[in-house]
Amino acid sequence: MRLTRYFLPVLKENPAEAQIVSHRFMLRAGMIKQQAAGIYSWLPLGYRVLRRIEQIVHEEQQRAGHIPLLMPTLQPADLWRESGRYDDYGQEMLRIKDRHERDMLYGPTNEEMITDIFRANVSSYKDLPLTLYHIQWKFRDEMRPRFGVMRGREFLMKDGYNFDLDRDAALHAYNRHMVSYLRTYERMGLTAIPMRAASGPIGGDNTHEFLVLASTGESEVFYDDRVTALKLGAREIDYDDRAQVAKVCEEFTTLYARTDETHDGAVFDQVPEAHRKVARGIEVGQIFYFGTKYSEAMGATVTTPDGAKVPVEMGSHGIGVSRLLGAIIEASHDEKGIIWPEGVTPFPVGIVNLKQGDAAADAACEALEKALLAKGLEPLYDDRDERAGAKFATMDLIGLPWRITVGPRGLANGVVELTSRRTGESEEMSPEAAVAKVAEIYAAHP
Ligand code: ATP
Ligand code: MG
C-alpha cells in the first residue's frame, strides 16, 4: 500500500478527550473516530488490526473444534422474557420498538438466541458435543463509556456457547475454551492471566476472567507473579484429550490469581511475600460454566442414551475483540507511539523513502514493495514528498514492528536499513537480505 493512496488521517496534537495512552494513540494514528459516546467508526488502519484479531480468534476457535455461525445484532424481547433476563438486565440493554410496536433489543450477549437455535434443531445426545460461536457487534448502554474502544457501548465480541450431555463434558468444554484462549492471546503478543472471577448477570459459579496487566486497567488484581512466566508456547494440544486439556488448565490456574471480586486475603497471605503482587488489569475475556440455567428455562432438552430427556448442559465464553486493540496498545507502546506485536500488526513492515523523486531510491522502494508482496507481506510504503523526520515520526506512531529505510547514500553501497520498532536497532543489508529477514520473522508468526 502506498501512503499517498491510503487513508491515514494522523493527528499531530494530543486529543484532549483521551485519558489513556491506547485511546490517545488510536486517535492520533487515525485508527478510529468517535461518532457518539462509546460508538466508533473503524478507519482503515484500525480496521486492519481489528480484522487481524478476528482472524486469530477464528483460527484458534476452529482449531479447538468450535463452529462459527452468525446471529443478528437485533433480537426479539420475547426470547429474553423466557429466560427472565428482559427485566433483570436493566438500563444497559438498549430497547427498541419496531413499526408494529414489537419489543426488540440490540443484543448485549446471545445466550437466549443460541439456546433457541439449539432447541429448534437438536434433540439427541448423538448430536453432542457441540460448540457454536460468532463474532458480532454487541451493544451495552454502559453508564460510563470511556477509554476509547476499551469500554465502548457498541463493541465487537466473540461469544461461544457449548452444549453437552453432562457436567463432565461441559467442564471439558470449559477447559477447551481456556486453553484456546491462552493460545489466542499469546498469538497477539499478550500475557493474559486466567483469574478466578465472580459471575454477574450471566449466572453460574465456574468462571475465569483473562486479564492483561496494565496500570490503566479497570480491575484490581491479586496474583502470584510466577503466573506471568507461564507460556503455552508451541506445544501440541489435542483438544479432544480431556486429561491433557485439564492438565494445561491446572498448570495455569494453580498459582494464586484473582480479581477483587473473589480475592481472599487469607489465601493470598500464603503466597511467598516476594511473589505477592497487587496490580491492575484489563479484562479481555471470560469463560463461564452455568449448567442448565438457560436450557431449563427455555426447554432445550436432549434424550440420553437410555432414553431419558434432560436439559442440555451449557457454558458461554467471550473475548473482547475490539477491546483487545486497546489492551495490546496499553501493553506495547513507548512515548513515540504504538509497537504492534508481529501477530496483529496492520502491515508487517513499512518502507521509508528518504528521497522521494530520486530515481534510484524510488526504483529500489518499488522493487522492495514487489518482493515483499510476492512473499505475501504487504508493506506500507511511505512515498510522500516529506522530510525523513516526518516519515519516521509517522512510522513510529503507527507502530509497524519493522521498517526498511531506503536512501541514495545507502543504495550507492548496495544497502538499505532494517530497523526494529521495539528495540530501535538498525542493521544495514542488501534489499534482498532485508526481504528475506522480514519473511523469516513473519514465518514464525503465522
Ligand atoms: P466488564 O466487567 O468489563 O464490564 P463484562 O464482564 O460485563 O465486562 P462479558 O460479558 O464477560 O463482559 O463480555 C466478554 C468480554 O467482552 C469481556 O471480557 C470484555 O473483554 C468485553 N467487553 C465487555 N464489555 C465491553 C465494553 N463495554 N466495551 C468493550 N469490550 C467489552
Ligand atoms: Mg466479564
Side-chain angles (χ1 to χ4, degrees), residues 140 157 197-199 202 207-210 261 283-288 318 323:
R140 295 182 186 174
M157 194 205 284
S199 68
I202 308 271
T207 174
H208 282 83
E209 289 178 351
F210 292 78
E261 291 166 337
E283 182 193 329
V284 292
Q286 183 161 15
I287 54 178
F288 298 91
R323 178 180 286 182

Side-chain angles (χ1 to χ4, degrees), residues 281-339:
I282 301 166
E283 182 193 329
V284 292
Q286 183 161 15
I287 54 178
F288 298 91
Y289 161 68
F290 49 68
T292 57
K293 177 177 157 134
Y294 297 92
S295 54
E296 258 179 73
M298 298 181 63
T301 56
V302 282
T303 51
T304 66
D306 40 19
K309 217 173 176 189
V310 297
V312 70
E313 286 275 332
M314 292 175 62
S316 73
H317 316 279
I319 293 180
V321 172
S322 51
R323 178 180 286 182
L324 271 165
L325 276 93
I328 292 167
I329 297 171
E330 290 295 324
S332 185
H333 67 270
D334 63 14
E335 68 292 344
K336 291 187 247 169
I338 302 164
I339 306 174

